Amino acid sequence: MTDENTDPQTAGTEPTVPDWLLPNRAYDVLKWVALIVLPGIGVLVQTLGPVWGWTWADPAATTINAVALTIGVVIGASTLKAKASKASKAE
């Protein structure tokens, strides 16, 4: 078998990873969406569903809340990565 990776390798260098996973603007928008907008929409759908006879209200509210949680995890990981990177640079 042959190694198909023909890129030249430089000894002692590692690929650089940015200090953050999300740009500041994307972080701010996703945080607002995950903490305010999606939970509000989820509660609205779950509250109005039975009143208006929406049979899909509970699954829709559960899906909306799951999306909000996922976005929260992504922005939380970005925050932890940025803090860890700043702490390691300060040392």
Side-chain angles (χ1 to χ4, degrees):
M1 295 182 110
T2 61
D3 185 10
E4 293 182 19
N5 186 2
T6 59
D7 294 336
Q9 298 293 323
T10 306
T13 61
E14 295 181 21
T16 58
V17 177
D19 296 340
W20 41 265
L21 296 175
L22 295 169
N24 286 338
R25 179 70 177 148
Y27 172 83
D28 291 340
V29 169
L30 286 175
K31 184 176 179 182
W32 178 73
V33 167
L35 295 179
I36 304 296
V37 175
L38 289 177
I41 292 172
V43 168
L44 180 69
V45 167
Q46 196 163 23
T47 302
L48 292 180
V51 172
W52 291 99
W54 298 339
T55 58
W56 49 266
D58 283 337
T62 301
T63 302
I64 292 167
N65 289 328
V67 169
L69 177 64
T70 302
I71 293 171
V73 168
V74 169
I75 62 175
S78 180
T79 301
L80 290 175
K81 175 72 175 163
K83 285 182 182 180
S85 176
K86 287 179 185 178
S88 68
K89 285 183 181 180
E91 292 176 355

